[in-house]
Amino acid sequence: MASASRYWEFVKLNSTNKRRVEMMVVARTYFHSLFPEKVEVGDATIQRQLWQQMRVNNQTDTDASNLPEICLRCYISHRIYQVCFDLGTKFGSRNGFSCEDLLPFVLDDEVLLAAQTQQTRPGSSYQSLATTVLKTFDPARGSLNTWVSRYVKQHPELKRFLLQHGVFLVSDWALLNDTNSKEVQRIFTEMYRSAKIEIQQACDLLISYHAVYRQDRIEQRLTGGTLPCQPPTLEQLTRIANHLQTLSGKKLSTEVVLNQLSAIASKLRRYRIAAQGGSVSSVSFDQTDVQAIVERSQIHQDDEEQNEFLNLYQNQFRESLDQAISQAVNDFINKLQRKRNTVEESFIKALHLFHCQGESMNQIAPQIGLTKQYEVTRLLKLSELRADIRQKLLLILRDHVIDLATHFANSERLQSLDQQVEAILNEQISDMIQQAESEVKNPIRNQPLPSLLARRLCYYLNSRNTKL
């Protein structure tokens, strides 16, 4: 139980709102009386037993009756900090805030603070987030990690703060699932002044998305499934494409379907943030949303010219991404081969199994001559690889986009384009990388990862194998 200390260490804020960890000695002694150090017990079992003991002890009034609750509250304080840290890491740098800005909203356990100073429990009606979590938590209905994460992200003041910084904590797929075609028509008309043909295409695609994805969600609920909205699978994307072809006569590849759904979701997200009083100053630069480079409001541009630019841009983005992936993987292999000559085959195979077949690190290890999950993680170094692809893609794509835009944007617009395009592309590429990071943290096993980065990486790996 390497992380058992989370059950007796209390994460709190000091007088300057800085994170501080303090040990609750009575909680540690109590915890070890229930779970001896040499016995390996999982968090789910520990939390279930502490929760059950807490409910029994609530019927008594002794000095030791609140010890299981204190252990759970210590764990909750760690989890609250981790959720805020993750939010700060994922959104903070691009939206002007940090983990430390979020903690005061949610890391305020009044019961632990009172227990630490040996005071009686506060008599006010105020309840901290930790108290709310413990009052509603039920191990039979979900994990404590999920429970805490949900309450942190739904905290009214924290949500308001994030909205003010342009962050709306709803997945693209939940946004699309929750928005009907009439709303899309109104939003695209009033906020984006989109062309009629674009609005119709977006509505048709959303109707097809609902016909497949929403129906699958309803069937999941009927069978007891409660998973959050996940990215559509390849099979679902194929069905959406087929439905769209039947509905509108328009034939799209699964990749284009995914890209266009993401672009619609990006616009809906910006609308929701604005509608709730949040900041939407940052530019959303999706593959089908290049408003910042060639403004759609330019009256002299017709739909045909806009569509031509969009098609050229999408092709250029894909080609540049393929080039960046090829360079990054080859650089990575060269770096590994300086340490061990036989590593290339293992590295390429592990990349393929993880991204293209959806296998876990544990499943991959024996197939490449390793024994432990961490050995595969250490070999792949996915965070470093993604960072290298990101940097190379930005350098490659920047000049290509400026070149491309010269054929479409007017001369006045081009004067400021050179300074703006890097920031715009940087934001789009960051969104793509974040999508890839998110699917790695919440994978659907034994099927290809659906993000654009994963799909193009698989395309490269398959091409590489064909050439060998």
Side-chain angles (χ1 to χ4, degrees):
M1 293 183 289
S3 57
S5 61
R6 291 175 296 174
Y7 293 95
W8 63 75
E9 288 180 345
F10 171 33
V11 181
K12 68 175 189 176
L13 299 178
N14 62 18
S15 57
T16 60
N17 279 343
K18 299 296 183 184
R19 177 178 180 265
R20 185 176 175 182
V21 180
E22 294 190 4
M23 182 190 297
M24 307 284 285
V25 178
V26 291
R28 182 180 65 175
T29 303
Y30 175 75
F31 184 88
H32 285 315
S33 72
L34 292 179
F35 309 102
E37 290 188 59
K38 295 182 179 180
V39 179
E40 287 293 328
V41 185
D43 278 330
T45 302
I46 292 171
Q47 291 160 12
R48 188 183 307 111
Q49 188 167 335
L50 288 172
W51 179 77
Q52 291 170 344
Q53 194 61 48
M54 179 184 73
R55 298 187 72 190
V56 171
N57 289 3
N58 282 342
Q59 308 302 318
T60 64
D61 188 19
T62 65
D63 291 339
S65 63
N66 65 339
L67 289 178
E69 180 180 341
I70 288 176
C71 289
L72 287 172
R73 285 178 178 272
C74 284
Y75 183 92
I76 289 169
S77 73
H78 280 272
R79 184 59 187 164
I80 289 173
Y81 174 79
Q82 187 60 52
V83 174
C84 290
F85 179 83
D86 290 344
L87 289 172
T89 300
K90 185 172 183 180
F91 301 111
S93 61
R94 291 193 302 131
N95 295 277
F97 67 89
S98 66
C99 166
E100 287 71 24
D101 296 317
L102 304 179
L103 293 174
F105 295 118
V106 288
L107 196 59
D108 58 348
D109 192 330
E110 80 289 4
V111 174
L112 273 185
L113 289 169
Q116 197 178 40
T117 55
Q118 297 185 340
Q119 299 174 356
T120 58
R121 295 191 178 207
S124 71
S125 59
Y126 174 75
Q127 287 188 357
S128 66
L129 185 140
T131 297
T132 304
V133 168
L134 279 180
K135 282 190 172 184
T136 59
F137 174 59
D138 182 350
R141 294 170 53 201
S143 73
L144 187 55
N145 281 358
T146 302
W147 223 267
V148 174
S149 180
R150 183 181 301 143
Y151 273 97
V152 169
K153 293 176 181 178
Q154 291 177 355
H155 189 277
E157 291 182 20
L158 186 140
K159 281 179 66 177
R160 192 176 304 116
F161 175 88
L162 291 175
L163 276 171
Q164 289 169 353
H165 288 77
V167 179
F168 185 50
L169 293 178
V170 175
S171 73
D172 285 353
W173 318 112
L175 266 177
L176 293 168
N177 198 51
D178 191 44
T179 308
N180 61 45
S181 57
K182 287 187 177 180
E183 286 181 279
V184 167
Q185 185 174 6
R186 178 179 60 79
I187 292 166
F188 276 42
T189 301
E190 295 177 1
M191 182 170 181
Y192 296 103
R193 301 290 190 270
S194 300
K196 288 184 179 180
I197 186 172
E198 182 185 357
I199 296 172
Q200 187 60 53
Q201 289 171 353
C203 290
D204 288 345
L205 183 54
L206 187 65
I207 290 169
S208 296
Y209 177 81
H210 287 167
V212 174
Y213 191 90
R214 184 183 280 177
Q215 187 59 39
D216 287 354
R217 293 280 297 171
I218 293 171
E219 291 176 7
Q220 286 174 7
R221 289 196 190 97
L222 293 176
T223 57
T226 56
L227 285 174
C229 290
Q230 302 291 326
T233 64
L234 181 60
E235 185 267 340
Q236 286 177 318
L237 289 170
T238 302
R239 287 160 55 203
I240 292 169
N242 291 339
H243 187 280
L244 180 64
Q245 186 174 4
T246 302
L247 177 67
S248 67
K250 189 171 184 179
K251 186 174 182 179
L252 300 178
S253 68
T254 55
E255 183 174 326
V256 172
V257 167
L258 186 64
N259 291 341
Q260 292 192 1
L261 285 171
S262 296
I264 296 170
S266 177
K267 289 188 172 184
L268 294 176
R269 183 179 304 280
R270 292 177 68 192
Y271 168 78
R272 294 282 184 96
I273 292 172
Q276 296 183 44
S279 168
V280 289
S281 57
S282 59
V283 178
S284 175
F285 196 92
D286 295 280
Q287 291 182 34
T288 54
D289 184 3
V290 290
Q291 183 174 354
I293 293 180
V294 180
E295 294 177 300
R296 295 183 185 276
S297 59
Q298 293 176 329
I299 298 174
H300 65 276
Q301 282 193 320
D302 58 19
D303 292 342
E304 185 178 348
E305 188 172 81
Q306 290 181 30
N307 289 334
E308 183 184 357
F309 177 85
L310 294 177
N311 290 331
L312 289 170
Y313 171 76
Q314 289 173 352
N315 290 335
Q316 188 60 68
F317 186 93
R318 186 170 58 251
E319 290 173 9
S320 298
L321 177 56
D322 290 348
Q323 189 178 344
I325 288 172
S326 176
Q327 290 180 8
V329 171
N330 286 328
D331 287 354
F332 222 74
I333 289 172
N334 291 335
K335 194 186 303 181
L336 289 170
Q337 284 179 331
R338 295 191 198 112
K339 301 176 183 178
R340 186 156 52 107
N341 290 332
T342 59
V343 78
E344 177 179 357
E345 184 179 346
S346 297
F347 177 73
I348 293 297
K349 185 173 183 179
L351 270 184
H352 187 274
L353 291 172
F354 184 83
H355 290 92
C356 313
Q357 296 185 25
E359 294 191 9
S360 68
M361 301 295 186
N362 278 331
Q363 290 174 302
I364 293 170
Q367 300 182 61
I368 58 172
L370 300 176
T371 57
K372 302 291 185 182
Q373 172 183 337
Y374 72 84
E375 293 177 311
V376 182
T377 304
R378 190 182 298 165
L379 171 67
L380 291 179
K381 294 183 179 177
L382 292 178
S383 294
E384 289 184 26
L385 181 63
R386 286 193 294 264
D388 197 21
I389 291 172
R390 182 186 186 284
Q391 183 178 14
K392 285 179 166 57
L393 176 57
L394 181 59
L395 293 174
I396 294 168
L397 189 58
R398 181 186 178 280
D399 290 338
H400 286 311
V401 169
I402 291 177
D403 222 18
L404 185 62
T406 58
H407 302 289
F408 296 89
N410 59 42
S411 57
E412 183 180 346
R413 183 76 179 95
L414 285 171
Q415 289 179 1
S416 61
L417 181 61
D418 187 66
Q419 298 174 351
Q420 297 178 15
V421 72
E422 184 165 338
I424 296 168
L425 292 176
N426 188 49
E427 182 170 346
Q428 183 197 12
I429 294 168
S430 294
D431 289 343
M432 180 190 70
I433 296 295
Q434 283 181 6
Q435 184 185 10
E437 290 172 345
S438 176
E439 72 181 2
V440 168
K441 291 179 182 177
N442 304 287
I444 301 175
R445 290 296 177 208
N446 300 314
Q447 66 179 42
L449 300 185
S451 73
L452 175 62
L453 179 59
R455 286 181 282 118
R456 298 316 298 177
L457 183 56
C458 290
Y459 174 82
Y460 164 77
L461 293 172
N462 290 332
S463 301
R464 183 188 181 96
N465 290 335
T466 302
K467 294 174 182 178
L468 293 179

